[in-house]
Structures are given as structure tokens and as C-alpha cells.
Amino acid sequence: MKIQRELGVPPRPDVPPVYTRRAGWQAVRGDAAWAGRSIGFVPTMGALHAGHEALLARARAENERVVLSIFVNPTQFNDPTDLAKYPRTLEADLALARSYVDAVLAPEPEELYPDAYRYRVTENELSRRWEGAHRPGHFDGVLTVVLKLFNLVRPTRAYFGEKDWQQLLLVRGMVQALLLPIEVVPCATVREADGLAMSSRNRRLAPADRARAPEFARALRESPDAPTAAARLRAAGFEVDYVEDADGVRMGAVRLGDVRLIDNCRLPAAR
Ligand code: PAF
């Protein structure tokens, strides 16, 4: 609401309809009331926070209709424990989103995977590096579900946070490769006051790990090179999956307890 007030966007009074079945949503999407309108789309896995709210606020400001999807996509989790523990907070999500969105898609897995995931989208280069090297199959799952959601929503613009930098590059690449008439809009990472990038996984951090977590962003930003950042993080008690520099961006993934965090920053020359 705060962000919305700052943008001067009037609050939306109605509770947005939630579609759990493809057919119900597709009937609405095909209706004349949606024809010829610009549609902003914010795909999420729920557990919404201020980072998602910023995406929704931007979508609201730039489009005539806004659609939010909430779907904890099983095919992008290479770790079954991570999938089981992923926070599911639908009621709170709807309360946060209601003033921004015209419709919410919250489909059951069978609705998005009638093929039981026999068909999938694979990118063969970038998706193998960084996150992909540590989470085999992750980006196949991401790209496949994003394409399915794009096909259902047919958005004008789709909003993605820069925290998931590699995901953003891959979604943009897929849109270009598959000739999709969608503008992918990158949105700056929203951070807590202490610098920790907002993430649905943050709420699972133990108090001592939450206190240590802001060092992740600091080490990425302040270290002269990637190996120095990784060493600084290990010394501070992080388990480091990777820290790497590529194309003016430093990306990293670390673990605190059983919570995995990712973040990135622009390198000084690129800032
Ligand atoms: O960034 C996310 O929350 C997910 O990867 C996405 C894009 C919603 C696909 O499941």
C-alpha cells in the first residue's frame, strides 16, 4: 500500500478473483473486457514480500490490467526438502496483492502439467552455469512454467526481479528465441534496511543466521574480486556454492543452515 500511495495509484476496492483451473481463467481472458488492453504479469511462487509488491506496483502503473500468478512450481526444485519447506501463505499473499491486481492465477500442478512434464523448455548454455551448475534441471523447470504461464496470460509486459539475475537473462533469452510478443521488464532488487535482498526464503533463517545474512550483500559489493568475496563469506560462516563475475555482474549463492540465498551486484565499472 505504501508503494502504491507513493506512485499515486488509486487502491482497488474489489477482492480479485482467484483462478485455480485453466478453463475458468481462459474464459475470462478471452472476454471482450480483456481484449486490446495492456496486461502486466507478475509470476511468483507466493510468500509475497515488499520485493513482489514493487513488481505489482510497477505493473499496475504501466498497464490497464494486472495478473499475478502464485504457483510453487515443483519442476524447478531439485531439492525435495526445499520444495516441502517452501512457504505457502495464500491468504496473506492475497491481502498484499489485492489492491494491485485484477486476477490471480493459483493453479493446481495438474492444471499446468497435463503432460506430467514430458515436454519442457531447455536452454543449453547459460542455464548450465552458476545456479544451473548447482541446481540441475532448475532452469528447465523455470523456463517451462514461465512459458506455460505466458501462454495462459498472454501479457503485454512481464515483471521479473533482478535478484534472480540469471533467471531474468534466461527468460529474456527465451522470449527472444521463441519470438514471444512480450516485453520482459527487469526490476531492481528490493532490500531490507540492513541490505539483505528480500526473498521468500529469508523467513526460514534462524535468528543467528538472519543476523549474519547482510554480510552476503556486503561481501559481494565490497570485495575486489570474486575469490576474495567467497573467502570473506566462508570466514563469516557461510557455505559458499559459488561467487562469480560475468558481464559486469557479480553473482553468488550461499547457504546459512538449510537456507540457500542468492544475490548479485553490478561491478564498479558497470555501476
Ligand atoms: O522467480 C520465481 O518466483 C519463479 O522462478 C517463477 C519465475 C515464478 C517461476 O516459477
Side-chain angles (χ1 to χ4, degrees):
M1 287 300 281
K2 178 170 167 287
I3 294 171
Q4 200 179 42
R5 273 197 301 274
E6 281 164 9
L7 285 171
V9 180
R12 305 180 65 72
D14 306 322
V15 178
V18 179
Y19 299 93
T20 57
R21 304 259 169 230
R22 273 197 327 268
W25 160 249
Q26 282 169 318
V28 170
R29 179 64 184 86
D31 191 86
W34 287 71
R37 310 265 184 186
S38 59
I39 298 177
F41 177 43
V42 179
T44 78
M45 297 206 296
L48 302 186
H49 49 66
H52 296 114
E53 191 173 7
L55 305 183
L56 290 168
R58 178 135 180 222
R60 178 84 264 152
E62 295 178 353
N63 300 278
E64 292 164 285
R65 295 270 191 276
V66 176
V67 179
L68 164 72
S69 68
I70 297 177
F71 179 65
V72 182
N73 175 33
T75 65
Q76 70 187 75
F77 286 83
N78 53 312
D79 174 359
T81 313
D82 193 25
L83 173 60
K85 289 189 173 172
Y86 202 85
R88 289 158 170 86
T89 58
L90 186 61
E91 287 307 314
D93 292 347
L94 296 178
L96 181 146
R98 59 181 282 181
S99 53
Y100 300 100
V101 307
D102 298 285
V104 178
L105 307 190
E108 296 299 326
E110 315 79 73
E111 292 288 313
L112 288 188
Y113 290 104
D115 61 331
Y117 199 39
R118 282 193 302 124
Y119 291 83
R120 61 190 73 178
V121 180
T122 298
E123 190 278 350
N124 282 309
E125 288 181 19
L126 184 58
S127 71
R128 312 287 165 156
R129 302 164 70 184
W130 313 313
E131 279 300 282
H134 289 267
R135 304 185 66 189
H138 169 66
F139 285 120
D140 286 10
V142 170
L143 293 178
T144 303
V145 82
V146 169
L147 181 60
K148 286 170 187 260
L149 291 166
F150 280 175
N151 284 335
L152 285 176
V153 176
R154 289 181 278 131
T156 314
R157 301 182 186 86
Y159 295 80
F160 288 84
E162 289 185 348
K163 181 178 77 69
D164 296 284
W165 184 254
Q166 193 177 358
Q167 168 174 283
L168 171 64
L169 297 182
L170 283 161
V171 169
R172 203 157 55 189
M174 176 179 76
V175 162
Q176 285 164 3
L178 302 185
L179 316 178
L180 304 178
I182 298 169
E183 181 188 345
V184 174
V185 182
C187 300
T189 302
V190 177
R191 295 180 182 278
E192 304 283 359
D194 60 13
L196 176 65
M198 296 226 177
S199 163
S200 304
R201 290 183 172 88
N202 291 352
R203 64 185 78 185
R204 288 186 42 229
L205 288 166
D209 290 335
R210 175 63 189 82
R212 207 188 320 225
E215 172 65 3
F216 182 24
R218 278 197 297 270
L220 291 183
R221 204 177 55 244
E222 293 171 5
S223 302
D225 52 49
T228 307
R232 174 169 161 177
L233 287 164
R234 285 194 187 96
F238 292 79
E239 198 182 313
V240 177
D241 273 2
Y242 65 88
V243 178
E244 289 197 40
D245 294 348
D247 300 326
V249 176
R250 176 166 298 153
M251 286 164 284
V254 296
R255 288 170 200 273
L256 283 171
D258 67 348
V259 181
R260 188 168 185 280
L261 302 175
I262 64 172
D263 200 354
N264 64 77
C265 64
R266 298 260 153 79
L267 291 169
R271 273 179 201 152

